[in-house]
Amino acid sequence: MTTNVLFLSTPKRWAQYQAPLMRALAATGLDFQLSEDLPPEEVEYIVFAPAGRGVDHDFTRFPRLKAVLSLWAGIETVVDNPTLTVPLARMVDHGLTQGMVEWVTGHVLRHHLGMDAHILGQNGTWNQIAPPLARERRVTILGLGTLGSACGQALASLGFPVTGWSRSAKSVEGITCLHGADGMHQALACADILVLLLPNTPATRDVLNAETLAQLPQGAVVLNPGRGPLVDDEALLAALDSGHLAHATLDTFRVEPLPPEHPFWAHPKVTVTPHIASETRADTAADVIAENIRRGEAGEPLLHLVDRSLGY
Ligand code: NDP
């Protein structure tokens, strides 16, 4: 029996993913058909990374559909799709994880070492102030999943005291793990640098607001490679303008691309990166997709399933 896989994305991504997916699916030993254009009644698995909003897709067109396999780690645009009644898997790809570890570590080190003063502020003054060691700079990560844990462990290995916060109780080597409402207060209070790596769900929206920003230490730095709606933009700008926060480095925004007139672009204490903290890498992600299709065909549980009730 042939397993029919539809690649539902853009022509550009098809060009990137076709060969790696062919290779990875062939390695499973399955007899398969992979195409960006299959008759809907034949489709059994969808590799999903649409150009528009996933919630706008009508999955009832695919009567034999067994699972939707997202190429993205964040699945907030499809998770509420009422026509999606089969399992939804998100992407956990070690290439994606490595990219996020590098982005977070780089931006933490920029602020920790005070690099801007030397890159932007050379004025002939021999101002010999050595930065503190990592052990004196506390980092908190909100979200201790695949990405938050990996970033936290990388920072801990450099000597930063790392605290992480999640919904459920966790234990991650090298990281002080907190959870729940009390845990959040404690996690924020020791965040000289705060990293947001939560998913965008109804429970996490505006998690960084006037009240929670006020719980950060004076002079804290915020990094948001998670999702734009995690942050109340007005409250963040107010905390920067009042001097309570020293800087915000933002990779994700409520509206993307970030409109040219948005105050973040011109704010002296904001660094904008255009949602490039990390991305799924075709060569490594293809193995994850193929493994899930193999599991689906073997009747084994799929990896990285989304809990639709929690939204991640
Ligand atoms: P995971 O699902 O592995 O981890 C999510 C973490 O958030 C878990 O620790 C989870 O807690 C925690 N969490 C979820 N809801 C809550 C809540 N209400 N309160 C407290 N903690 C909560 O996701 P990933 O680590 O793979 O990815 C995280 C996010 O990173 C993605 O959803 C996406 O938005 C973003 N991302 C950004 C990219 C970029 O380039 N900027 C690239 C890829 C991803 P628990 O452990 O208890 O379940």
Side-chain angles (χ1 to χ4, degrees), residues 227-298:
R227 280 294 183 264
L230 301 175
V231 178
D232 175 340
D233 290 356
E234 296 305 317
L236 181 73
L237 286 165
L240 289 162
D241 289 339
S242 73
H244 181 58
L245 286 190
H247 201 92
T249 295
L250 310 172
D251 184 61
T252 53
F253 305 90
R254 285 171 183 269
V255 177
E256 294 182 4
L258 184 66
E261 65 279 8
H262 196 286
F264 284 157
W265 282 114
H267 200 288
K269 294 182 181 172
V270 176
T271 300
V272 171
T273 63
H275 204 139
I276 45 80
S278 190
E279 68 171 359
T280 306
R281 314 287 153 153
D283 55 343
T284 41
D287 294 331
V288 180
I289 296 286
E291 169 62 7
N292 254 349
I293 293 173
R294 185 201 68 71
R295 284 170 169 255
E297 291 307 280

Side-chain angles (χ1 to χ4, degrees), residues 177-210:
C177 298
L178 302 170
H179 69 284
D182 289 350
M184 188 187 195
H185 179 69
Q186 227 180 304
L188 292 172
C190 63
D192 297 324
I193 298 180
L194 180 72
V195 183
L196 302 182
L197 274 170
L198 292 162
N200 174 9
T201 72
T204 62
R205 273 168 217 149
D206 286 327
V207 71
L208 204 60
N209 53 42

Side-chain angles (χ1 to χ4, degrees), residues 73-74 90 96 100 143-148 165-168 170 197-199 203-204 225-227 251-252 275 277-278 312:
R90 65 192 197 88
L96 171 77
M100 187 60 81
L144 260 191
T146 307
L147 300 178
W165 181 73
S166 53
R167 186 182 52 80
S168 55
K170 304 199 78 157
L197 274 170
L198 292 162
T204 62
R227 280 294 183 264
D251 184 61
T252 53
H275 204 139
S278 190
Y312 73 99

Side-chain angles (χ1 to χ4, degrees), residues 97-162:
T97 304
Q98 179 61 24
M100 187 60 81
V101 166
E102 292 179 14
W103 187 94
V104 168
T105 306
H107 286 278
V108 164
L109 286 173
R110 166 193 171 191
H111 294 294
H112 168 62
L113 296 174
M115 289 182 186
D116 288 13
H118 305 289
I119 295 170
L120 307 171
Q122 293 196 33
N123 58 5
T125 311
W126 190 256
N127 199 3
Q128 230 179 3
I129 302 172
L133 290 177
R135 66 174 183 237
E136 295 163 64
R137 186 90 59 188
R138 302 161 302 170
V139 179
T140 288
I141 303 187
L142 300 189
L144 260 191
T146 307
L147 300 178
S149 297
C151 292
Q153 289 190 309
L155 293 168
S157 75
L158 292 174
F160 291 98
V162 178

Side-chain angles (χ1 to χ4, degrees), residues 22-76:
M22 285 287 186
R23 169 196 55 75
L25 283 165
T28 63
L30 289 171
D31 177 18
F32 69 92
Q33 181 179 202
L34 169 71
S35 173
E36 48 165 355
D37 186 20
L38 283 177
E41 60 279 8
E42 288 183 12
V43 172
E44 294 170 285
Y45 295 91
I46 296 179
V47 181
F48 195 65
R53 294 172 349 128
V55 78
D56 297 331
H57 284 264
D58 179 7
F59 290 103
T60 60
R61 293 193 301 127
F62 309 106
R64 292 176 60 204
L65 188 60
K66 295 178 181 170
V68 172
L69 310 172
S70 171
L71 281 185
W72 310 144
I75 42 67
E76 68 274 8

